[in-house]
Amino acid sequence: MEPEPPGASGPAEPGPRVRGVRGAAHAASASVLSGAEAEPQRCALAVAAVLPAGGSGERMGVPTPKQFCPILERPLISYTLQAMERVCWIKDIVVAVTRENMEAMRGIIQRYQHRRISLVEAGVTRHRSIFNGLKALAEDQPHSKLSKPEVVIIHDAVRPFVEEDILLKVATAAKEHGCSDYDLEFGTECLQLALKYCHVKAKLVEGSPDLWKVTYKRDLYAAESIIKERISQQICIVMDDEEDVGRLLEETLKNELNHVKVTSGPLCHAGRHLHQIILEQCYSFVCVNVMTSEFEETQKLLNLLKESNFSILYPVVVISVHFLDYKSVPFDRKMENLMQIRELAKEVKERNILLCGLLIYYPQDEQKLQDSLRQGASLIATFIRERNSAFIGQLLIA
Amino acid sequence: MEPEPPGASGPAEPGPRVRGVRGAAHAASASVLSGAEAEPQRCALAVAAVLPAGGSGERMGVPTPKQFCPILERPLISYTLQAMERVCWIKDIVVAVTRENMEAMRGIIQRYQHRRISLVEAGVTRHRSIFNGLKALAEDQPHSKLSKPEVVIIHDAVRPFVEEDILLKVATAAKEHGCSDYDLEFGTECLQLALKYCHVKAKLVEGSPDLWKVTYKRDLYAAESIIKERISQQICIVMDDEEDVGRLLEETLKNELNHVKVTSGPLCHAGRHLHQIILEQCYSFVCVNVMTSEFEETQKLLNLLKESNFSILYPVVVISVHFLDYKSVPFDRKMENLMQIRELAKEVKERNILLCGLLIYYPQDEQKLQDSLRQGASLIATFIRERNSAFIGQLLIA
């Protein structure tokens, strides 16, 4: 969590703020993955959200509009939708996109299985897009499946890091508060317009310090790094409890990655185990194989992951670790076995699972083994953190 | 190059600006690597620079003050110093650091061979630090080696991306211009203080759109990505011109990385060649070896790079590509040869050279070879872009 930077060389400006307007509240804040952990909060109001996403992203310096720029191969707007739909008390989410992006947007909703989303055509300006969204929510719309809400949260499609607590704060404030001079002084054009044309009361709500907007290419870099960091906070080691060398690897990982939660368990009751792990937002798995170049256990883990289908939103990393005496003959047969990981990796890549292999010479003397384990841990940590599909199917050696 | 984002949810603020005050001008702008390409510009003025670097970086959310946070294992402030000292007409660069960071700062200057740098102790505030820097430049200082300048450019130590043209614009403006209401309206506390206490005229100069400041953790992510991207814009393939398969790899790299400049040449006259390449800021090398698992050529290249010593500032990537018929016996002997890359990589890592191997099965049928070349190209591109030292000494297979 980081506060919003002040204007770079302009006058220092007050911290991030969220605009709340009765009938139309404006939110922007941050967290990709608090969904699973967070106790769902209650909101007595009938709330809907409007996401203007008609921008052309010309400032981004890339041909694709920024809301459709990929982060880990998934469009930015999908992260924002995920953050909004996670909030159960937001009944409807209306997205305003340009006509030429309508089909692409439908594709995104289908592919990433987004729920409670309605599409409207964007206007020529951001405010017209918001207006179109609000119109779709008005009850006098013919054949509209949308119910008229008490509060509408207006949220930029390019602010993927929005948390439930701040949305609740905004929705509540939008319902209750009046307007202050402070707000008028620091409010944005949205607030001014609301006051000018909607004759409503308005209130500025202090936003999460993590409040920021993906606008430029460097913001995409930052967003990708933040998302990668957040989905790499937990590693699950699948191994047989009796295998001491597996325990050693677990200890090394814990020492090397002291900020990462490392759990372990055998595959036999991984079904239940895995379900819990998925709830805990673990997207990184290490499968320990001792004195075998076969992928039997790894294959079982991969099947469980494929069934669970939770690699839709984020790429899941699987590292098949093989402790092998690879200096013993016949070396090439073992290697040929291990090379099968290339085909295995190609196959599961289609399911957004990134598989690579790690070969550790075993048995070897205490000191050498420690060194190999440390190098192995840093290779595991790097592949998990970078999630770079170029390395899938590779057999790394520690 | 990207424009500065407006305040995220506060009032939209005008574009980036550079403060110019006669006797004290303020710059902030961007580019790591325009030095070598850019025709050095002339400045008739006697110019010095003061870099306040006394910040504690508490907003960064990391224990290290942000100016000392590592990017590619080098402290942020070293990138800023590099950008300033590149500008030949800046005679003296005075850095204000806290007493406890004085030794660390001296170490950085020595390790990265920075020139024309003087250190002064930072004050309790940014402005006191600037004052101490200016004092050191005043001619009445006893035993001072510094000459009193006509213009002093004050530049944040945490703005690593500063270009010569903007510094020239600022220095000139600082000498010439008067003060406007516009400036007073949008100027920062620095400008106000200059006006209040120094009784000087002031002018705001439009800054480069790339103007931004590393303040938060996500800014470090962005800065690292920008730097990685900039030093990965050129790849030099070292190969024997007669080797058709080398040509094929070159073609594939050109097709896969159409934004990257790919050059090639034999090692024999690489001495001159390499010198030119270094001038062109190439930090990525691919050494093509056909039908051999020996590292003779790669070793020659590594020696040339070590002599050139230009890996001080940025990690240099070397990928030793081996086209091998690795399905022919004896496979394991070839593999054991190739495994020597691990020791080679460890050795050159100390010189900030990141070495890894790439094995491509050859000969194989046209289609399979094309696929391998494509996969090889994407592995090369990834290792070059990420520059991740965890993968050094690995033997990748395409």
Side-chain angles (χ1 to χ4, degrees):
Chain A
M1 293 295 150
E2 7 167 314
E4 180 64 25
S9 71
E13 69 170 55
R17 216 164 290 95
V18 165
R19 272 156 258 99
V21 180
R22 182 174 299 175
H26 201 118
S29 176
S31 164
V32 201
L33 288 174
S34 60
E37 307 94 42
E39 168 74 15
Q41 302 181 58
R42 268 158 203 67
C43 180
L45 297 164
V47 179
V50 169
L51 278 64
S56 66
E58 68 285 340
R59 285 177 302 183
M60 181 70 82
V62 290
T64 318
K66 58 199 174 191
Q67 61 274 27
F68 296 112
C69 285
I71 294 181
L72 289 171
E73 298 180 10
R74 176 155 68 109
L76 178 62
I77 192 169
S78 170
Y79 291 90
T80 314
L81 292 180
Q82 180 191 358
M84 298 300 283
E85 68 189 349
R86 225 180 45 215
V87 181
C88 54
W89 47 263
I90 297 180
K91 300 289 177 294
D92 297 301
I93 301 162
V94 181
V95 184
V97 288
T98 58
R99 188 174 292 161
E100 57 267 25
N101 289 323
M102 199 59 83
E103 260 323 297
M105 195 60 224
R106 287 203 187 90
I108 290 166
I109 291 166
Q110 187 178 30
R111 175 168 181 190
Y112 300 106
Q113 301 180 10
H114 292 302
R115 304 262 175 272
R116 308 184 333 254
I117 315 283
S118 306
L119 298 183
V120 298
E121 194 172 325
V124 288
T125 65
R126 183 173 182 281
H127 298 119
R128 291 226 172 266
S129 295
I130 293 169
F131 180 72
N132 294 352
L134 293 171
K135 218 167 53 185
L137 286 164
E139 66 197 334
D140 56 4
Q141 291 294 307
H143 346 287
S144 171
K145 283 179 224 66
L146 303 170
S147 57
K148 189 180 186 183
E150 293 170 87
V151 167
V152 180
I153 294 173
I154 296 163
H155 180 74
D156 291 323
V158 290
R159 297 188 195 258
F161 305 131
V162 61
E163 282 172 347
E164 179 165 10
D165 59 352
I166 193 73
L167 291 170
L168 184 63
K169 226 162 111 188
V170 170
T172 315
K175 178 78 179 177
E176 290 166 4
H177 286 83
C179 175
S180 74
D181 299 344
Y182 178 82
D183 302 336
L184 282 174
E185 194 178 331
F186 293 108
T188 70
E189 72 289 353
C190 269
L191 183 62
Q192 309 300 349
L193 283 164
L195 292 165
K196 186 166 172 195
Y197 296 109
C198 312
H199 312 294
V200 294
K201 293 181 168 186
K203 171 69 181 173
L204 282 175
V205 181
E206 283 305 317
S208 144
D210 216 346
L211 177 63
W212 65 296
K213 181 175 173 179
V214 173
T215 312
Y216 307 101
K217 203 175 169 189
R218 67 165 178 271
D219 299 324
L220 271 185
Y221 290 143
E224 175 157 341
S225 298
I226 290 168
I227 290 168
K228 280 179 171 178
E229 194 185 35
R230 290 183 181 187
I231 61 175
S232 304
Q233 290 308 300
Q234 192 177 340
I235 299 175
C236 173
I237 306 176
V238 174
M239 63 179 180
D240 187 336
D241 290 337
E242 283 96 61
E243 292 299 356
D244 298 351
V245 73
R247 286 263 159 271
L248 285 175
L249 180 62
E250 181 173 3
E251 285 318 306
T252 315
L253 274 169
K254 281 176 174 166
N255 296 338
E256 301 281 308
L257 315 171
N258 43 33
H259 60 289
V260 174
K261 182 182 173 194
V262 180
T263 62
S264 71
L267 200 54
C268 51
H269 39 80
R272 183 185 49 69
H273 189 52
L274 206 67
H275 178 72
Q276 184 54 35
I277 283 163
I278 291 164
L279 284 182
E280 287 170 6
Q281 309 282 344
C282 175
Y283 294 94
S284 311
F285 297 84
V286 174
C287 188
V288 175
N289 307 275
V290 180
M291 291 311 231
T292 174
S293 55
E294 302 296 330
F295 292 98
E296 208 179 315
E297 289 295 288
T298 305
Q299 185 69 72
K300 280 186 205 155
L301 172 62
L302 291 171
N303 293 338
L304 281 167
L305 290 171
K306 280 192 274 182
E307 286 159 23
S308 78
N309 202 30
F310 87 123
S311 55
I312 289 178
L313 294 179
Y314 300 101
V316 172
V317 163
V318 175
I319 297 150
S320 189
V321 180
H322 297 263
F323 287 94
L324 268 182
D325 181 356
Y326 61 79
K327 294 204 171 156
S328 75
V329 287
F331 176 53
D332 50 352
R333 237 203 57 243
K334 287 213 184 63
M335 283 305 276
E336 268 182 49
N337 247 339
L338 289 171
M339 284 308 162
Q340 293 173 10
I341 196 163
R342 296 160 62 78
E343 281 61 51
L344 216 52
K346 270 202 205 95
E347 180 202 323
V348 293
K349 174 69 178 73
E350 291 161 12
R351 303 296 296 271
N352 206 19
I353 297 171
L354 311 181
L355 171 69
C356 83
L358 174 62
L359 179 58
I360 298 179
Y361 173 46
Y362 179 76
Q364 53 182 327
D365 70 63
E366 184 59 29
Q367 187 48 54
K368 286 215 184 90
L369 183 59
Q370 285 300 334
D371 297 344
S372 294
L373 287 170
R374 261 194 299 278
Q375 200 198 346
S378 102
L379 283 166
I380 289 170
T382 303
F383 188 58
I384 285 174
R385 201 176 49 247
E386 303 294 343
R387 269 164 222 265
N388 200 313
S389 54
F391 289 107
I392 65 166
Q394 291 299 315
L395 182 66
L396 306 170
I397 299 178
Chain B
M1 293 296 149
E2 11 167 306
E4 180 62 28
S9 70
E13 69 170 55
R17 216 165 292 93
V18 167
R19 273 155 259 98
V21 179
R22 181 175 298 174
H26 202 118
S29 176
S31 164
V32 201
L33 287 174
S34 59
E37 307 92 42
E39 167 74 15
Q41 302 181 63
R42 267 158 203 69
C43 179
L45 298 164
V47 180
V50 169
L51 277 62
S56 67
E58 68 286 339
R59 284 178 302 183
M60 180 70 82
V62 291
T64 319
K66 58 198 172 191
Q67 61 274 26
F68 297 112
C69 285
I71 293 181
L72 289 170
E73 297 179 10
R74 177 154 68 108
L76 178 62
I77 193 169
S78 170
Y79 291 91
T80 314
L81 293 179
Q82 180 191 357
M84 299 299 284
E85 69 190 347
R86 225 181 43 217
V87 181
C88 54
W89 47 263
I90 296 180
K91 300 286 177 296
D92 296 301
I93 301 163
V94 180
V95 184
V97 288
T98 59
R99 187 174 290 161
E100 58 267 25
N101 289 324
M102 197 61 82
E103 260 324 296
M105 195 60 224
R106 287 204 187 88
I108 290 166
I109 290 165
Q110 188 178 30
R111 174 167 182 191
Y112 300 106
Q113 302 180 8
H114 292 301
R115 304 262 176 273
R116 309 185 331 256
I117 315 283
S118 306
L119 298 183
V120 297
E121 193 173 326
V124 288
T125 65
R126 184 174 182 281
H127 298 118
R128 292 228 171 264
S129 296
I130 293 169
F131 180 72
N132 294 353
L134 293 172
K135 219 166 54 186
L137 287 164
E139 66 198 336
D140 55 5
Q141 292 294 306
H143 345 287
S144 172
K145 284 180 221 68
L146 302 171
S147 56
K148 189 180 185 184
E150 293 170 87
V151 167
V152 180
I153 294 173
I154 296 163
H155 180 73
D156 290 323
V158 289
R159 297 187 196 258
F161 304 132
V162 61
E163 282 174 345
E164 179 165 10
D165 59 352
I166 193 73
L167 291 170
L168 183 63
K169 226 163 111 186
V170 170
T172 316
K175 179 78 177 175
E176 290 165 7
H177 285 83
C179 176
S180 72
D181 298 343
Y182 177 83
D183 302 336
L184 282 174
E185 194 177 332
F186 293 109
T188 71
E189 72 288 355
C190 270
L191 183 63
Q192 310 299 351
L193 283 165
L195 292 165
K196 186 165 174 196
Y197 297 110
C198 313
H199 312 295
V200 293
K201 293 181 167 185
K203 170 69 181 173
L204 283 175
V205 181
E206 284 302 320
S208 144
D210 217 346
L211 176 62
W212 65 295
K213 182 175 174 179
V214 173
T215 312
Y216 306 102
K217 202 176 170 191
R218 67 165 177 272
D219 298 324
L220 271 184
Y221 289 143
E224 175 158 341
S225 298
I226 289 168
I227 290 167
K228 280 179 171 178
E229 193 184 34
R230 289 183 180 187
I231 61 176
S232 304
Q233 289 308 300
Q234 193 176 339
I235 299 174
C236 172
I237 306 176
V238 174
M239 64 178 179
D240 188 336
D241 290 338
E242 282 96 60
E243 293 298 356
D244 298 350
V245 74
R247 286 262 160 270
L248 285 176
L249 179 61
E250 181 174 2
E251 285 317 306
T252 315
L253 274 169
K254 281 176 174 166
N255 296 339
E256 301 282 307
L257 315 169
N258 43 33
H259 61 292
V260 174
K261 182 181 173 194
V262 180
T263 61
S264 71
L267 201 54
C268 50
H269 39 79
R272 183 183 49 68
H273 189 52
L274 206 66
H275 179 71
Q276 184 53 35
I277 284 164
I278 292 165
L279 284 182
E280 287 171 7
Q281 308 281 345
C282 175
Y283 294 93
S284 311
F285 297 84
V286 173
C287 188
V288 175
N289 306 275
V290 180
M291 289 313 227
T292 174
S293 55
E294 304 295 332
F295 291 98
E296 209 179 313
E297 289 294 290
T298 306
Q299 186 68 72
K300 280 187 206 157
L301 172 62
L302 291 171
N303 292 338
L304 280 167
L305 291 172
K306 279 191 274 182
E307 287 160 22
S308 80
N309 202 31
F310 85 124
S311 56
I312 290 178
L313 294 180
Y314 300 101
V316 172
V317 163
V318 176
I319 296 150
S320 188
V321 180
H322 297 263
F323 288 93
L324 269 182
D325 181 357
Y326 62 78
K327 295 204 172 156
S328 74
V329 288
F331 176 53
D332 51 350
R333 240 206 51 243
K334 287 213 184 61
M335 282 306 276
E336 269 182 47
N337 248 339
L338 289 171
M339 284 308 162
Q340 292 172 10
I341 196 162
R342 295 162 62 79
E343 281 62 49
L344 216 53
K346 268 200 207 96
E347 179 202 324
V348 293
K349 174 67 177 75
E350 291 161 11
R351 303 295 297 271
N352 207 18
I353 297 171
L354 311 181
L355 171 68
C356 84
L358 174 61
L359 179 58
I360 297 179
Y361 173 46
Y362 178 77
Q364 53 183 327
D365 69 65
E366 183 59 29
Q367 187 47 53
K368 285 213 184 88
L369 182 60
Q370 285 301 334
D371 297 345
S372 294
L373 287 169
R374 260 194 301 278
Q375 201 198 345
S378 103
L379 283 165
I380 289 169
T382 303
F383 188 58
I384 285 174
R385 201 178 48 246
E386 303 294 343
R387 273 168 218 262
N388 200 312
S389 55
F391 289 108
I392 66 166
Q394 291 298 316
L395 183 66
L396 307 170
I397 298 179

